Every structure is written in structure tokens, then in C-alpha cells.
């Protein structure tokens, strides 16, 4: 069992101080210059990086800089400047999403460690081969992996793994959420998540809305609280436990660091105590929680991940209001803080709670809280979007077991707006915040172990060699003389040389075997030796000994990425329909499509679709799932047995697993290629083409195409953007009582589900072969206005995607784009054709230019 690093978020100077004072082994943070996934955190200035790293290293910790967003072509030079500054400042590692950042960093400073962000969606052991080519030394695995899957990943990966253990859960796979980009013009892949998963949605089943009562936040997961999984993760060989929360304050950071240090240390000692973990979860929940859960660490459980009643901090559940007075509330504890919502859309006929076996990892349950004066509470009436009443408790009278009378002062909550039956949550503890403030004000001393070796003889100097943190320093005194008394005994040396208060060091060992007995040196001289050693070690540990190239490397890295890429012969672009239904496929084949891409929900139907397309004489391209988890490699093997002409590759794991296996490989949008360096890297894995990422607008796409050779890119010119791609199944949650595909009864085979947002748009929800849901945008997005320019720029493939369009409509739309690429029709006619067939119209979507 290896030592688990506790990695804490540092979204502000106060949170950084809290993390270090609480004993974090490492911290991660971003800069306000951009390219970090929490653009709304306070962040740090690039110019302050040297001081920040000195603060971190003084506490005996490591500092990781997040450059974990996508980079557009014109930004490569600016990102290079940040990487150079980070390397020179002593940053211990960069956390990266874009392959270009890794390649630039490796060229600038090979000594700088690189960690692959969860935004890269490296979800299976095969992806480790891709990471190794980038020089990655650690993979941050997706939050959707279970402990068992993480164990399998670790066993097959030569690269160490980091696991999220606590904090907010994204409902979408990280790096695969395009909702903010497509609906709000602010991309999560650029650090500007709009929190669309925390909004209310209505469930639409087979075209009819279903009333789910107070359950409206259908995509808002509870938070991850994985303390009970720590022993299993340690046993699995994980290197690091990561706490999410760069937009949270010092109290949250301090509570979570303390809690997971305790859980880590207990696991290492083999003395895990469930009651202690429950107490720690209670402290962490007071700081911030939407409700504690294991997330996916215990395996897929569609009935526990999303409760759907609220999207924000709830804290700890206390009970229900049973009576309301003028300034008092009577509360009785119950167990309804996390109500069962499985099969809710089926009304009275919904199934009972599932009885299938639970995973080995115990569920995260916090110690029940008894109210005390000073705690803050909120009254939950089932409508969190309204102005909920709440405030600090002024007095508490215990009325009996699990019954209390809570008194409130003035100003305080308007109790006239609190109804009997409302849930009561404890949301804050002022004492916790005061403790965090005191912690922030302290300097974490004595975190680095120091070992001393003392030698000397009569007439020779006392020589002391100190080693700490990988640095060594030596100091020597005036000549030693004979002692009149006991002389320089080990206890005296430890007392005077080891008096390291106020420094970053603590004495871990003293070896005086090389010191002759009966010798004397004034105490003042011993203290001076200590001061010299501390100063020398401080200087050594603060010094950054790295070779960082001064000249720009972007052009060199770009040229290297494209060096081995053959230039294809000039040709007109292929206009390729991507079909998801039988009627779509039959219609486009009848319309003369020479090539089709197939993205099928189930494998039996896919085999039949391949046979029909092949019989029609069309080239067949099969799309992989967007994600491959450990154990799902068999899906790729099945696709190969169908002998397609090509495979549309949607993940780095699939790219690595399928390279050199026979079919041509086309990279899809989900590889998130936004610049020429990353494009060259992706093609170097064996891809024939790569699809430009949906995060690009028209100007950014043009810059990418202009910087790279022609003939190697695909662009999706018509589609319903795949906004959320999620492990959580809306079908299983609300149309069954099943936890996963083994117990849900497959409602996806009998029903079509969609989500209606606050504006009235209805977004289809489609299940893939891995039982994952993709929420597609209600409106079709068209880049018809760019097709002429894309043809001139040598784009190889223009993709036209369909979701639930009728077959005849799909054929008409595909034919319109085919004719547009051949200059046989106009942009206006294409848009008119598409718009006439779309319930919610057609937009330019992500191809619009946003200033």
C-alpha cells in the first residue's frame, strides 16, 4: 500500500493558506491569465508564481498549476509564455487537457512533470499509451470509474493514477460537456462552465411531459464524499486523492484536507473506523455539500446519484418541521433527507426499491447532527429556486428523543413563510469558519524532515551535515577543545541543533557516531551552525535548478507533430451522413450516399445496418462509443469483427486500441482538437482525419485550418450538438427502480425520453451501446454558410449528423449539403430545407463568432 498524496484545491490565497496549514501534501491552482478550468475562481497572477511556489515548498508541499483547458491556434504563444514562467518559478507539475500544452512543456523544460487532467477523458488503460507519448507522469482518471475499474486501470497502466475523492460531480463526463458552449456561448472546455446541469428540466416521455412534483433538477448530482472508499483505493495502488473545490472557501478546504488526511492515515495503519469517517463527513458536509454520495466509486447506481430536489448546498439533514410558532420552529428528525425517486415518472406503478446486491464500498453517511445555538439552518419547501427562509439558531430546547424547539431572533427568517412538513437542513457552523480563519493566519512550520550527521575531533572543527527535502548543506565551527564536563553529548546536540521552531524543518534524526567524546563547543557556536544550515537549506530548496529554453518552441513543436504525416491527394470533400436509426440509413442509401457513418444504440441492430449499407455498395464507417471504460474493450473488438471500412474514433483509449488493426481511423469531435499541434499529434496516432472540436467558432476554425496541411480534417456542418454525455441514465432513474443495466429492465428500448428546459426547448436523450446518455440540443446547428470556404481550405470530410429525424427528412438534408458542397445549390436553400424540417429551427450554433 503506497502513501496516498492528499491534493487540495487552492482557488484563492486564503484557500491556499488553509490547505497548507491543514497539512495538504500538494495543492493545485490556476492563473488569472486563463487556460484553467475554474476561470471564476480568484486564481493567481503569473508574476506571483515564484512567491506562491516558495510558500508551498516552505510547507513541505508540492504545487500543481492547472493549464487544463483547450487552446486555440492564435493562443499557443501566450500559453507557451505561461509554461515557461511556471517552469522557472518551480511549479512541480502542470495539469493539462490539450496535448499541445504537454508537447510545448516537454520541449521547453523536460524536467517539468505533466499530469493529464480528467478533462482529457483518459478512461481506460489503453489511453495510458497516448499519455506516455505526451510525457505524462500522472493520469487524473474520470470521476465515472468505480473502485474496481480504477484497480484494473492501475494494474494495467505504467503511469500512476490520481482519483477525485470529494467535491462536486459533473453529470457529464469531464471534457465531454458542450452544454455551456452550445446553449450559452461559454465553454466548459475553456473554464467557463455555465452549470447547466444545475438547472430545472421537465421530463418528456414519448412526447408527453410527466409531472415529477418537486423533482425537477434531473441532471444535478449529489456531491462526491468518498471517505469510505479510501482503504480500497489505497489497496488498488492509487497515487493521489484529489479534493474538488477551487471555487470554495478556506473552511471547506480545511475540513476536507483534515478529513482525508485522517482517512488516509487510518487506512495506512489498518485501523479504519467507520464512526470517525462519519464524523469527518459531517464536518465536511457543514462546509459544503449538495448531499453526500459515493458518486461512481461504488459502481453505477442511477437511484442514488441524482435526487433531483435541489441543485445547491444543503448541508446536513436535520428533520421536518412539525409546528411553527411566532419565533420558534419545532423539528422532528426523520430519514427523508434523500427521498427515493426511482421510477418516479411511472407514478403509482413505479417499482419498489431494488434489492440487487450493493458494492463492497460502504455508502457515505454522515453522523446525525443535534442542533445547537449558532448553527445556521435553511427551511426547504421543495422549491429551491425561490427565496428559501433560514438563519442562525438563537436557542435550542430538547423536547424529547430527536425532537427540538428551535428559537430564532430578529432579524431572522420569516417564519410565516415556513410550512409544516418543510425539511430542515443545517447549512453552516460559525465555529468552523472561525477555526478556518485562525488556520489561515498561521504559518505551517516544521513540515520537512531534517537529518543531521555530526563529526569532529580534538583540534578539528565540528562539522554538521544536514539533509532535508533532497537538499544538503554543511557548516563547520571553530576547532573543538577538550571539555571539562560531559562535553557534546547527543542530547545537547539535538537540543541546540534541533531547535528548529519557526522554520520549515523538524529534526528527524541525528547521527553523532563520528564525533569523538569529551569535546567542547560553546552553545552560541552550535546555534550559529544551526542558523547557517537553515539558511543554506532554505536557499537550496527555494532555488529552481531547471534548464528552460528561452526561445519560442511553438513552430518547432508544430513541425515535429506534422513531420511524419503524408500529404493526401487533392480531392473534393466527402459529404458523409451519420445515421442513428434504420429509416435514416435506408433513406440516405436510397438517395445515393456512397459512404455512411453508423452510431447505433445496440450491437445486433448495428450488424444488420452494416450488412444493409454494404449490400447497397456504400462504404461503412462505425462510430465507437464516446467513452471506453476498463472492461469495455470488448465493444471495440465486436466493432472490428463487423469489418467496417473505417472507424469513427471518439476517445484516446479507442484510438490507441484500434491503431494498426485494419480499418482506417477517423478522429471525432470528442478528441477535442482545437489547434494544429494537437491535430498533428492525433494524426500521428494513426488517424486518417480528425474532426475539429465543437468548441471552435468560425474564426477559430479558420485559424486551425490555415495552420495545418490540407486534406486531414473533418468538420461537422449539420447536427444537433451532443451537449451532455453522462454515465447517469435518466431512463433507468425515472422509468425504473433499477440501479444499472442489469436491473433497470431496459426502458430505453420501449420509450423515447427528452428534457424540456426553462425556455421550452425539448432536448432528446439518446442511450448508447454502453448505456450512457447523450442529451442532444433541441435546435439543429448549421455551418452551411461556411461550406464554400471549407471546401476551398481543403477539408476532407463534411459530416451531416442526425438524431431522431425521420428518414425522408434525413435524406433531404443530406442531399442539400451534398449539393451545396458541389456548388449546385445556395446556402439559403440549404438552411430553408433544414429549417422546414426542424421543430425548433436551425441556428449557427457554435460556429457563430463570439467577441
Amino acid at each position: 500500500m503506497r502513501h496516498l498524496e492528499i491534493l487540495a484545491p487552492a482557488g484563492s490565497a486564503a484557500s491556499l493558506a488553509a490547505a497548507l496549514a491543514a497539512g495538504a501534501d500538494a495543492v493545485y491552482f490556476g492563473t488569472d491569465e486563463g487556460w484553467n478550468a475554474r476561470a471564476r475562481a480568484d486564481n493567481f497572477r503569473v508574476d506571483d508564481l515564484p512567491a506562491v511556489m516558495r510558500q508551498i515548498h516552505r510547507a513541505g508541499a508540492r504545487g500543481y498549476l492547472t493549464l487544463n483547458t483547450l487552446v486555440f491556434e492564435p493562443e499557443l504563444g501566450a500559453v507557451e509564455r505561461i509554461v515557461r514562467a511556471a517552469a522557472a518559478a518551480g511549479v512541480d507539475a502542470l495539469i493539462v487537457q490539450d496535448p499541445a500544452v504537454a508537447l510545448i512543456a516537454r520541449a521547453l523544460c523536460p524536467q517539468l512533470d505533466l499530469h493529464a487532467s480528467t478533462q482529457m477523458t483518459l478512461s481506460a488503460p489503453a489511453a495510458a499509451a497516448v499519455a506516455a507519448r505526451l510525457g505524462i507522469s500522472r493520469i487524473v482518471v474520470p470521476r465515472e470509474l468505480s473502485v474496481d475499474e480504477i484497480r484494473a486501470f492501475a494494474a494495467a497502466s505504467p503511469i500512476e493514477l490520481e482519483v477525485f475523492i470529494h467535491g462536486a460531480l459533473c453529470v457529464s463526463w469531464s471534457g465531454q460537456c458542450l452544454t455551456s458552449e452550445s446553449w450559452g456561448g461559454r465553454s466548459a472546455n475553456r473554464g467557463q462552465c455555465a452549470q447547466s446541469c444545475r438547472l430545472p428540466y421537465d421530463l418528456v416521455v414519448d412526447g408527453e411531459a410527466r409531472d415529477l412534483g418537486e423533482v425537477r433538477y434531473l441532471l444535478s448530482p449529489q456531491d462526491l464524499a468518498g471517505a469510505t472508499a479510501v482503504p480500497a483505493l489505497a489497496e488498488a495502488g492509487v497515487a493521489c486523492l484529489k479534493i474538488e473545490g477551487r471555487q470554495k472557501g478556506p473552511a471547506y478546504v480545511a475540513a476536507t484536507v483534515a478529513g482525508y488526511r485522517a482517512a488516509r492515515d487510518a487506512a495506512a495503519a489498518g485501523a479504519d473506523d467507520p464512526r470517525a469517517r462519519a464524523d469527518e463527513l459531517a464536518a465536511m458536509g457543514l462546509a459544503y455539500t449538495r448531499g453526500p454520495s459515493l458518486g461512481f466509486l461504488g459502481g453505477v447506481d442511477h437511484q442514488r446519484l441524482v435526487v433531483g430536489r435541489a441543485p445547491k448546498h444543503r448541508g446536513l439533514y436535520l428533520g421536518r418541521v412539525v409546528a411553527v410558532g411566532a419565533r420558534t420552529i419545532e423539528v422532528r428528525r426523520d430519514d427523508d433527507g434523500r427521498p427515493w425517486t426511482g421510477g418516479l415518472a411511472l407514478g403509482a406503478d413505479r417499482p419498489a426499491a431494488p434489492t440487487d446486491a450493493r458494492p463492497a464500498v460502504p455508502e457515505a453517511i454522515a453522523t446525525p447532527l443535534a442542533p445547537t445555538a449558532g448553527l445556521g439552518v435553511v427551511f426547504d419547501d421543495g422549491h429551491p429556486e425561490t427565496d428559501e427562509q433560514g438563519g442562525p439558531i438563537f436557542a435550542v430546547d430538547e423536547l424529547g428523543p430527536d425532537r427540538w424547539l428551535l428559537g430564532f431572533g430578529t432579524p431572522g427568517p420569516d417564519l410565516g413563510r415556513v410550512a409544516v412538513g418543510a425539511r430542515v437542513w443545517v447549512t453552516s457552523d460559525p465555529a468552523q469558519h472561525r477555526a478556518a480563519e485562525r488556520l489561515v493566519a498561521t504559518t505551517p512550520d516544521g513540515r520537512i524532515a531534517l537529518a543531521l550527521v555530526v563529526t569532529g575531533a580534538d583540534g578539528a572543527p565540528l562539522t554538521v551535515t544536514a539533509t532535508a527535502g533532497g537538499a544538503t548543506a554543511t557548516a563547520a565551527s571553530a576547532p573543538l577543545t577538550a571539555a571539562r564536563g560531559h562535553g557534546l553529548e547527543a542530547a545537547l546536540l539535538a537540543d541546540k541543533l534541533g531547535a528548529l521552531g519557526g522554520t520549515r524543518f523538524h529534526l528527524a534524526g541525528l547521527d553523532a557516531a563520528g564525533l569523538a567524546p569529551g569535546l567542547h563547543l560553546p552553545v552560541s557556536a552550535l546555534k550559529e551552525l544551526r542558523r547557517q544550515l537553515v539558511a543554506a537549506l532554505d536557499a537550496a530548496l527555494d532555488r529552481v535548478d531547471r534548464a528552460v529554453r528561452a526561445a519560442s518552441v511553438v513552430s518547432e513543436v508544430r513541425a515535429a507533430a506534422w513531420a511524419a504525416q503524408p500529404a493526401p491527394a487533392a480531392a473534393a470533400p466527402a459529404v458523409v451522413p451519420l445515421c442513428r436509426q434504420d429509416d435514416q440509413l435506408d433513406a440516405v442509401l436510397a438517395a445515393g450516399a456512397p459512404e455512411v457513418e453508423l452510431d447505433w444504440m445496440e450491437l445486433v441492430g448495428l450488424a444488420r445496418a452494416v450488412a444493409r449499407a454494404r449490400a447497397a455498395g456504400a462504404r461503412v464507417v462505425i462510430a465507437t462509443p464516446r467513452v471506453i471504460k476498463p472492461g469495455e474493450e470488448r465493444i471495440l473488438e465486436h466493432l472490428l469483427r463487423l469489418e467496417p471500412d473505417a472507424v469513427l474514433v471518439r476517445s484516446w483509449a479507442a484510438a490507441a486500441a484500434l491503431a494498426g488493426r485494419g480499418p482506417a481511423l477517423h478522429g471525432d469531435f470528442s478528441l477535442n482538437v482545437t489547434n494544429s499541434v494537437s491535430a498533428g499529434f492525433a494524426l500521428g496516432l494513426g488517424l486518417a482525419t480528425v474532426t475539429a472540436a465543437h468548441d471552435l467558432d468560425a474564426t477559430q476554425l479558420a485559424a486551425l485550418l490555415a495552420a495545418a496541411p490540407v486534406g486531414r480534417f473533418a468538420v461537422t456542418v449539420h447536427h444537433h450538438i451532443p451537449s451532455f454525455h453522462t454515465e447517469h441514465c435518466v431512463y433507468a432513474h425515472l422509468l425504473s427502480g433499477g440501479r444499472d443495466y442489469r436491473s433497470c429492465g431496459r426502458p430505453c428500448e420501449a420509450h423515447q425520453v427528452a428534457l424540456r428546459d426553462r425556455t421550452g426547448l425539448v432536448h432528446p436523450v439518446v442511450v448508447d451501446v454502453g448505456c450512457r446518455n447523450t442529451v442532444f440540443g433541441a435546435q439543429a446547428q448549421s455551418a452551411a454558410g461556411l461550406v464554400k470556404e471549407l471546401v476551398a481550405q481543403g477539408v476532407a470530410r463534411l459530416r451531416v449528423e442526425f438524431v431522431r429525424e425521420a428518414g425522408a427528412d434525413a435524406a433531404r438534408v443530406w442531399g442539400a449539403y451534398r449539393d451545396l458542397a458541389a456548388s449546385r445549390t445556395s446556402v439559403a436553400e440549404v438552411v430553408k430545407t433544414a429549417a422546414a424540417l426542424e421543430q425548433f429551427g436551425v441556428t449557427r450554433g457554435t460556429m457563430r463568432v463570439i467577441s
Side-chain angles (χ1 to χ4, degrees):
M1 185 182 291
R2 69 188 298 171
H3 178 77
L4 279 168
E5 177 181 272
I6 304 299
L7 175 58
S12 66
S15 291
L16 171 61
L20 297 177
D25 300 303
V27 295
Y28 64 104
F29 57 95
T31 70
D32 56 14
E33 275 77 353
W35 300 288
N36 88 84
R38 293 294 183 271
R40 288 182 291 168
D42 287 349
N43 296 310
F44 297 85
R45 296 174 62 247
V46 170
D47 291 345
D48 293 335
L49 285 178
V52 170
M53 289 312 304
R54 285 194 296 271
Q55 179 185 0
I56 293 168
H57 287 161
R58 189 189 186 283
R62 291 169 58 82
Y64 307 146
L65 178 66
T66 56
L67 284 172
N68 55 342
T69 66
L70 302 180
V71 179
F72 299 147
E73 190 68 33
E75 299 170 340
L76 291 169
V79 169
E80 178 189 19
R81 289 190 289 274
I82 295 179
V83 172
R84 182 180 287 107
V91 166
D92 294 294
L94 301 181
I95 303 174
V96 304
Q97 175 185 17
D98 198 313
V101 180
L103 294 171
I104 288 170
R106 194 172 67 181
L108 277 174
C109 180
Q111 294 169 283
L112 181 57
D113 280 347
L114 301 173
H115 297 175
S117 169
T118 189
Q119 291 285 114
M120 282 194 76
T121 327
L122 301 182
S123 56
V130 177
R133 292 182 63 152
L134 293 169
I136 298 294
S137 60
R138 178 185 289 180
I139 294 171
V140 186
V141 300
R143 294 171 176 89
E144 288 77 5
L145 299 191
S146 69
V147 169
D148 289 341
E149 289 162 342
I150 292 166
R151 182 182 293 108
F153 197 148
S157 172
I159 300 175
E160 69 181 27
L161 305 184
E162 175 178 306
V163 175
F164 276 97
I165 195 65
H166 194 92
L169 287 169
C170 303
V171 77
S172 185
W173 281 75
S174 295
Q176 302 301 316
C177 184
L178 295 166
T179 316
S180 298
E181 169 70 25
S182 59
W183 299 355
R186 38 185 282 193
S187 170
N189 280 327
R190 298 278 290 172
Q192 298 174 327
C193 174
Q195 298 277 298
S196 302
C197 57
R198 306 298 179 185
L199 297 176
Y201 297 92
D202 296 324
L203 184 72
V204 179
V205 182
D206 300 327
E208 296 186 1
R210 299 289 180 91
D211 183 5
L212 304 182
E214 62 185 26
V215 176
R216 298 195 60 215
Y217 297 88
L218 307 184
L219 297 176
S220 180
Q222 298 188 101
D223 286 352
L224 173 62
T228 56
V230 170
L233 290 170
E235 182 273 331
V238 166
C240 174
L241 300 178
K242 184 174 195 171
I243 299 165
E244 182 277 340
R246 281 193 285 148
Q247 290 177 228
K248 298 185 176 76
Y252 169 89
V253 173
T256 53
V257 170
Y260 284 99
R261 282 189 67 201
R264 183 265 317 273
D265 294 346
D272 191 48
D273 180 357
R275 289 175 298 180
R277 301 294 81 77
D279 290 344
E280 291 150 8
L281 283 171
M284 292 186 271
L286 271 178
Y288 192 95
T289 185
R290 296 179 179 88
S293 79
L294 276 175
F296 293 98
L297 289 174
V300 171
D301 187 342
H302 301 306
Q303 304 304 340
R304 291 297 183 192
L305 185 73
V306 173
V307 170
R309 296 187 62 260
K312 57 188 178 182
H313 174 50
R314 295 282 79 173
L316 303 179
Y317 184 62
L318 181 60
R320 294 267 193 172
V321 173
V322 296
V324 180
R327 299 307 307 164
T328 61
I329 294 283
E330 184 179 338
V331 178
R332 180 169 56 225
R333 192 191 303 282
D334 65 18
D335 297 322
D336 202 27
R338 300 167 67 186
W340 176 259
T341 56
L344 187 60
L346 301 181
D349 298 324
R350 77 183 198 189
T355 58
D356 46 311
R358 299 298 298 126
V361 178
E363 190 173 0
I365 300 176
T367 300
L369 190 71
T372 58
L375 295 178
V377 297
V378 69
F379 301 103
D380 170 7
D381 61 1
H383 299 284
E385 67 278 5
T386 63
D387 183 20
E388 295 179 317
Q389 294 302 300
I393 301 171
F394 271 50
V396 177
D397 290 330
E398 187 169 353
L399 303 179
D402 294 333
R403 290 179 61 229
W404 305 274
L405 188 67
L406 310 183
F408 296 89
T410 303
D414 181 356
L415 299 187
R417 296 174 57 189
V418 177
V420 170
R423 292 177 176 89
V424 184
W425 301 87
V426 181
T427 57
S428 65
D429 181 359
Q432 186 180 58
H433 288 270
R434 289 192 296 269
E437 290 170 359
R438 291 192 296 270
L439 198 64
V440 167
T442 64
T443 300
D445 294 333
R447 296 290 174 80
I448 302 177
L450 180 146
L452 298 175
V453 177
V454 181
T455 61
D458 192 3
L462 180 74
T463 302
V464 185
T465 300
T467 303
T472 299
T474 299
S477 71
L480 293 163
T481 60
R484 295 180 181 177
H486 294 292
L488 296 175
E489 294 179 334
L492 176 65
L493 293 171
D495 180 50
K496 302 308 177 185
L497 296 177
L500 298 167
T503 76
R504 68 179 81 183
F505 307 107
H506 69 269
L507 183 62
L510 187 147
D511 179 1
L515 176 63
L519 298 175
H520 170 72
L521 191 71
V523 168
S524 60
L526 291 175
K527 293 179 178 180
E528 177 59 26
L529 289 175
R530 184 189 69 225
R531 285 190 287 268
Q532 292 177 21
L533 290 169
V534 167
L537 287 172
D538 277 341
L541 292 175
D542 287 340
R543 187 165 53 247
V544 179
D545 292 323
R546 285 175 176 163
V548 182
R549 292 176 60 179
S552 175
V553 300
V554 171
S555 296
E556 171 190 317
V557 170
R558 181 188 292 115
W562 285 88
Q565 298 303 319
V575 181
V576 185
L578 185 146
C579 302
R580 292 184 169 91
Q581 299 176 173
D582 287 321
D583 60 336
Q584 296 168 358
L585 174 60
D586 293 340
V588 298
L589 290 174
E595 181 176 357
V596 292
E597 294 177 340
L598 305 178
D599 184 11
W600 241 244
M601 173 180 161
E602 44 83 30
L603 297 177
V604 174
L606 174 62
R608 292 195 293 261
V610 169
R612 293 205 312 281
R614 189 167 285 131
R619 283 175 49 82
V620 177
V621 183
I622 298 177
T624 71
R626 199 154 151 193
V627 170
I628 293 293
K629 292 169 70 175
E632 294 182 349
E633 294 83 358
R634 65 186 185 279
I635 297 175
L636 301 180
E637 297 302 319
H638 181 87
L639 300 186
L640 290 176
R641 287 195 292 272
L642 297 177
E643 298 182 344
D645 298 289
V647 176
L648 184 61
V649 172
R650 287 177 164 166
S651 69
W652 295 114
L658 296 174
R661 299 289 300 278
L665 303 179
H666 298 293
D668 205 358
F669 73 94
S670 47
L671 298 183
N672 287 326
V673 170
T674 57
N675 60 73
S676 60
V677 174
S678 293
F681 172 78
L683 294 169
L685 299 175
L687 306 183
T689 64
V690 62
T691 305
H694 293 333
D695 286 278
L696 297 169
D697 67 22
T699 300
Q700 294 152 356
L701 174 61
L704 164 62
L705 297 175
V710 300
R712 304 303 298 276
F713 286 94
V715 175
T716 304
V717 293
H718 182 96
H719 66 146
H720 292 260
I721 195 164
S723 49
F724 295 108
H725 185 67
T726 173
E727 193 75 10
H728 175 64
C729 183
V730 177
Y731 289 80
H733 177 206
L734 296 171
L735 296 180
S736 87
R739 289 193 168 97
D740 58 22
Y741 73 93
R742 291 165 295 193
S743 57
C744 71
R746 309 289 179 91
C748 56
E749 296 178 0
H751 301 283
Q752 286 191 341
V753 162
L755 300 178
R756 185 172 62 198
D757 68 22
R758 297 177 300 172
T759 70
L761 294 177
V762 180
H763 309 282
V765 182
V766 177
V767 182
D768 74 4
V769 70
C771 290
R772 296 175 189 104
N773 287 188
T774 301
V775 181
F776 288 89
Q779 296 174 300
Q781 297 192 3
S782 174
L786 300 179
V787 166
K788 181 178 180 180
E789 182 180 346
L790 295 175
V791 172
Q793 289 178 304
V795 170
R797 300 170 70 82
L798 302 175
R799 182 173 297 116
V800 181
E801 287 199 20
F802 305 109
V803 180
R804 288 179 177 165
E805 291 89 340
D809 295 346
R812 287 183 61 191
V813 172
W814 171 75
Y817 282 95
R818 174 198 57 192
D819 292 344
L820 180 62
S823 299
R824 294 194 295 265
T825 190
S826 68
V827 171
E829 283 300 316
V830 172
V831 174
K832 180 179 177 182
T833 297
L837 305 174
E838 290 287 341
Q839 178 184 0
F840 296 104
V842 176
T843 74
R844 292 183 64 195
T846 57
M847 285 300 176
R848 66 194 182 281
V849 177
I850 303 170
S851 58

